[in-house]
Amino acid sequence: MSLDVRTIMLVFSALTLMFSGLLALVGRYTGNVKGVGHWALANLLMASGFAFSYSFSTTLPNQLLWPIVAASVLIVSGLCLQYAGIQRFKEKPINWKFVAIAVAAIFFSGIWFTGIHNNVTNRAIVNSIVFGIVFIACARELLIPAEAPLRIAYWLTGISFGALSVLVFARAAILWQSSTESYGLFQNIPINPLTFLGICLLQFSTMFGFVLMLAYRLVGELAKLASQDPLTGAFNRRRLEEEALRVQARSIRTGKPMAVMMIDVDHFKTVNDRFGHQVGDEVLKHVAKIIETTIRADDYFGRYGGEEFCILLPSTAKDEAYAMGERLRQIYADTSYLFDGQHIHSTISIGIADSADVGTEFKTLVQAADKALYEAKQAGRNLVMQHASVAMFA
C-alpha cells in the first residue's frame, strides 16, 4: 500500500488541531508556567497550514498556486511560535527578530518563486532550509544542562527538533540534486510521502516532549508548594525535617559535625499588637530575606513555627555556627525599614546546638537549640547563646 501525501496532511492537521485545543485548555490552569499559549497557537497555525495545503490542485499552473505561499507562512509561523514558547517556558525573552526574519524569508521567497520567477523546486528548497534553521534554534534552546527530571523532557524534545532539522535539510539536498522545475507537492515520488510522514511523526514527538516538559514543571511547582512556607518562601517544617535526615546521614558517614540554629523575633507579639498582623507578616518576610542572603549555599533554612525560624548547618561546629549567628543577629539589628509610613525596627535572639554536644538526632538538636534560645531571651534578648553555654546556667 502506497502512502498518500494528502492523507498524511489531513491526519496530521486533524491531530494537531486537537492538540492545539488541548493545550489551550491546559494553559488556563498552568498558573505561572509560561509558553503553553504559544504552543497552542503554534499548533493551530500548523494545522491550518496543512489543511490549506490539502486543498491545492496540481492541475493549476504555478502562478495560480498562491495558497501554497499562505500555507508556508502559516506553517513557519507555527514553528516560530514553538520556538517562542520554548523561550517563554524557560522564562527568557522571545527573540522576535529571529521570528520575523524566518517568516519574512518564507513569505518573500514564496512570492518570488511563485509569481515572479516560477520554480516550485527552489521554493521547496528555501522552505526546507528555513524550517531546518528554526528546528535547529529550537533544539539549541533545549539541548542544555538541566536538573533532572526536566532534563529528560528537554533532551527528548530537543533531539526530536534536531532530527527534524536533519530530515528537512536532507529533503532540500535531494531536491537540489534533482535539478528539476517540475517538482510537485503531490507527485507520486518517494521523497514526498516519506519526508512528510517523518516530519509529522517527529512533530508529534516534539508535542509530546513539550507536554512532558509541562508535566515535570507542574510536578516541580507542586513539590515546591508542598515544601515551602507560603509567607516567607523558606522551607516548611516538614521539608526541613526531611533535609535533616540527609544531613544526619552525611554527618554520621563523614564524621563531620552538624549544627542547628533556632531564631526567634524579639517582642513579636508587641509588634503585632502595636502595628497589626500585616506588619508582623512583613517583619517575618524581612527576617527571612536577611537570613537567605547571609547563610551559605549548603545550609538549609526553614520556618519552624510562628515567628521561629530554624537553620540546619551541615559540616559546622558550634564555634563556626556561633560566628554565623552573631553576624546574622548584628545585620538584622542594624537594619530598619518603612512599611506603610511606619518605621519598623526589631531584633532577634538565637540559640545554637551542635552534634558534638547532643548527637546528630535532629529532634534533640532542635530541643537543645530551643533551650539555648530560651536562655538568650531570659538574658535580655538580641543575643546569641550556645547550648554549651546554657549548661553553665544549670
Side-chain angles (χ1 to χ4, degrees):
M1 187 177 100
S2 61
L3 294 171
D4 179 67
V5 174
R6 288 183 184 274
T7 302
I8 295 172
M9 283 185 171
L10 182 61
V11 172
F12 179 77
S13 178
L15 292 176
T16 306
L17 184 62
M18 288 188 288
F19 194 81
S20 173
L22 175 64
L23 281 180
L25 182 63
V26 170
R28 298 178 60 185
Y29 305 99
T30 52
N32 295 326
V33 181
K34 299 177 176 64
V36 182
H38 294 79
W39 270 67
L41 182 57
N43 283 278
L44 177 61
L45 292 177
M46 286 191 289
S48 301
F50 277 96
F52 221 20
S53 302
Y54 181 81
S55 64
F56 295 165
S57 172
T58 55
T59 62
L60 293 175
N62 285 339
Q63 60 266 30
L64 297 181
L65 294 178
W66 288 105
I68 198 168
V69 179
S72 298
V73 170
L74 285 171
I75 292 170
V76 77
S77 298
L79 299 179
C80 287
L81 276 175
Q82 285 184 317
Y83 169 72
I86 292 169
Q87 291 191 311
R88 292 303 296 132
F89 183 86
K90 296 170 59 180
E91 299 186 348
K92 292 175 58 178
I94 297 173
N95 186 355
W96 289 114
K97 182 178 180 181
F98 173 81
V99 171
I101 291 173
V103 174
I106 293 292
F107 177 72
F108 288 112
S109 67
I111 290 177
W112 178 264
F113 290 119
T114 298
I116 300 175
H117 181 71
N118 297 329
N119 192 311
V120 180
T121 303
N122 286 347
R123 183 180 62 211
I125 290 172
V126 172
N127 285 356
S128 296
I129 291 173
V130 175
F131 292 168
I133 291 172
V134 177
F135 291 142
I136 288 176
C138 293
R140 185 179 177 186
E141 288 289 335
L142 294 167
L143 296 177
I144 59 172
E147 294 183 358
L150 193 58
R151 179 175 61 249
I152 298 172
Y154 270 23
W155 280 64
L156 171 64
T157 316
I159 290 172
S160 299
F161 276 118
L164 276 167
S165 68
V166 172
L167 184 59
V168 295
F169 282 140
R171 178 174 184 263
I174 293 171
L175 290 174
W176 177 267
Q177 291 295 323
S178 68
S179 300
T180 177
E181 295 186 7
S182 62
Y183 168 77
L185 185 62
F186 301 116
Q187 281 182 347
N188 189 24
I189 55 177
I191 187 176
N192 280 339
L194 291 177
T195 55
F196 274 98
L197 179 61
I199 289 170
C200 291
L201 291 175
L202 286 170
Q203 269 292 341
F204 283 134
S205 180
T206 65
M207 295 175 196
F208 288 122
F210 183 76
V211 170
L212 194 59
M213 288 164 53
L214 181 61
Y216 282 145
R217 174 64 64 80
L218 291 175
V219 168
E221 293 285 338
L222 288 174
K224 185 177 180 181
L225 289 173
S227 64
Q228 195 176 54
D229 173 56
L231 177 65
T232 63
F235 286 160
N236 57 24
R237 182 169 176 171
R238 175 185 172 185
R239 175 65 184 276
L240 198 62
E241 290 172 346
E242 291 174 354
E243 295 296 341
L245 292 175
R246 285 187 273 271
V247 174
Q248 179 186 12
R250 189 194 318 167
S251 178
I252 294 172
R253 185 177 66 253
T254 62
K256 293 182 179 180
M258 58 184 288
V260 164
M261 187 183 300
M262 299 300 293
I263 303 167
D264 190 87
V265 179
D266 295 330
H267 301 295
F268 185 71
K269 186 178 183 303
T270 303
V271 172
N272 273 335
D273 292 342
R274 181 179 177 185
F275 299 106
H277 288 282
Q278 190 175 7
V279 173
D281 288 346
E282 291 299 319
V283 168
L284 294 178
K285 288 192 283 188
H286 185 61
V287 174
K289 183 178 179 180
I290 289 179
I291 293 174
E292 287 177 349
T293 56
T294 304
I295 61 176
R296 304 165 300 187
D298 293 336
D299 298 332
Y300 300 94
F301 156 58
R303 185 178 177 188
Y304 206 72
E307 71 272 19
E308 196 171 42
F309 296 92
C310 177
I311 304 176
L312 180 61
L313 305 163
S315 304
T316 305
K318 60 184 177 183
D319 291 339
E320 187 179 359
Y322 180 85
M324 183 184 298
E326 184 59 34
R327 182 169 68 254
L328 178 60
R329 181 202 63 79
Q330 190 64 54
I331 291 172
Y332 185 75
D334 291 342
T335 61
S336 61
Y337 57 98
L338 284 173
F339 176 75
D340 198 20
Q342 301 178 91
H343 186 75
I344 308 298
H345 179 267
S346 62
T347 59
I348 55 175
S349 297
I350 301 175
I352 295 171
D354 78 338
S355 57
D357 288 333
V358 299
T360 59
E361 186 70 33
F362 182 62
K363 182 178 179 180
T364 305
L365 281 164
V366 169
Q367 289 175 344
D370 251 337
K371 186 176 180 182
L373 174 61
Y374 174 78
E375 293 297 335
K377 294 278 191 180
Q378 293 297 107
R381 295 183 173 82
N382 193 24
L383 292 172
V384 180
M385 194 77 74
Q386 298 181 48
H387 178 258
S389 303
V390 174
M392 293 186 297
F393 288 89

